[in-house]
Amino acid sequence: MDIQKLSAVVEAILFAGGEPVELDRICEAADAVVSEVREAIKLLEEKYSENSGIELLKLNDSYQLATKQEFAPYIKSALEIKRSSALSPAAMETLTIVAYNQPVTKGFVESVRGVDSSGVVNSLVEKGLLAEAGRLDLPGRPIAYMTTDNFLRAFKLSSLDDLPPLPEQTGQITIDEILKDGEDGSDNSDE
C-alpha cells in the first residue's frame, strides 16, 4: 500500500477510535509495519500542522486525533458544553504525588499530604485523570492508582518522561519506605 493511502487508513482508524489507539493495534489493523505507520503518522502531523482545527496527539505509544485547544471556546459554544471547573489545589497536589510516585495507594497520598485524600482520589478517578493500577500484595490488598492518558492530554504531555524534574528529593517518603516499614513489622496504627 502506498504511503498516502496508508496515511488515510491510519487517519480513519484514529478518527473512528475516538480514544488513543496503540501503535501496535494500528499496525495490525492497517496490515503494515511500524516504520511504515510512523511515516504515515508524520504525513498526518504535517497535514494537521497548519490551517486545521485538528491535531494528532502522541500519548506514550498511542495516538489520537483531537481538536486543537485554541478552538475549544467555539466547540463549547456550538455544543453548549459548560466550562469544566478548574482542579482544586488539593486535586493538583494529589495528581503531582501520583504522577511522580506511581503506582501509589490512597494511604501513600494521605501520608504525603497529611490529610484524608479519599474524596480527592475518587474525584480524580471519576474525571478520568487517575485509574486503578491493581492491588498491592499487602494486608488489606489496597488499590494502587496511576495517571491516565487523559492526564497526559490535560497537561499536554507525551509521556511521564516530560514531567519537570522535582526540585529536591530529600525528605520525601517513598512507597518503598512504606513497604519496608510494613515488612519490618513497625506498625504505626493504634489497633
Side-chain angles (χ1 to χ4, degrees):
M1 168 178 345
D2 77 350
I3 194 64
Q4 293 296 331
K5 181 167 183 178
L6 180 57
S7 182
V9 168
V10 171
E11 181 179 42
I13 291 169
L14 295 177
F15 179 79
E19 296 292 319
V21 181
E22 293 176 356
L23 182 61
D24 292 343
R25 268 183 98 185
I26 297 170
C27 291
E28 186 179 323
D31 194 27
V33 296
V34 172
S35 60
E36 293 171 333
V37 171
R38 287 191 195 275
E39 190 177 339
I41 286 170
K42 283 183 184 176
L43 284 178
L44 287 176
E45 288 172 334
E46 290 171 13
K47 175 181 178 179
Y48 295 128
S49 66
E50 294 181 30
N51 300 323
S52 177
I54 296 173
E55 65 183 333
L56 181 64
L57 301 177
K58 182 180 187 302
L59 306 165
N60 288 321
D61 203 26
S62 298
Y63 294 88
Q64 179 179 15
L65 288 178
T67 55
K68 289 183 178 173
Q69 189 67 32
E70 65 192 87
F71 300 114
Y74 304 105
I75 296 166
K76 287 178 183 178
S77 175
L79 301 178
E80 299 178 356
I81 298 173
K82 293 182 180 177
R83 184 170 189 252
S84 58
S85 59
L87 293 174
S88 68
M92 291 296 287
E93 187 176 71
T94 300
L95 276 174
T96 302
I97 292 165
V98 175
Y100 282 98
N101 300 286
Q102 62 186 309
V104 299
T105 63
K106 285 181 188 176
F108 177 82
V109 173
E110 290 170 354
S111 109
V112 173
R113 291 190 65 227
V115 295
D116 177 41
S117 300
S118 294
V120 176
V121 170
N122 291 340
S123 171
L124 292 170
V125 169
E126 286 176 18
K127 292 179 193 269
L129 297 171
L130 294 181
E132 291 184 10
R135 293 188 174 268
L136 297 180
D137 193 20
L138 293 172
R141 306 230 343 113
I143 298 170
Y145 294 90
M146 62 184 205
T147 57
T148 64
D149 286 344
N150 285 339
F151 167 81
L152 295 175
R153 190 182 315 64
F155 289 93
K156 297 183 180 1
L157 302 169
S158 291
S159 72
L160 292 174
D161 295 334
D162 294 341
L163 287 170
L166 291 171
E168 182 181 325
Q169 295 194 5
T170 58
Q172 290 188 22
I173 190 168
T174 66
I175 191 77
D176 294 331
E177 291 171 328
I178 291 174
L179 293 174
K180 184 176 185 273
D181 286 348
E183 290 171 2
D184 292 343
S186 57
D187 186 294
N188 295 334
S189 67
D190 295 328
E191 297 180 66

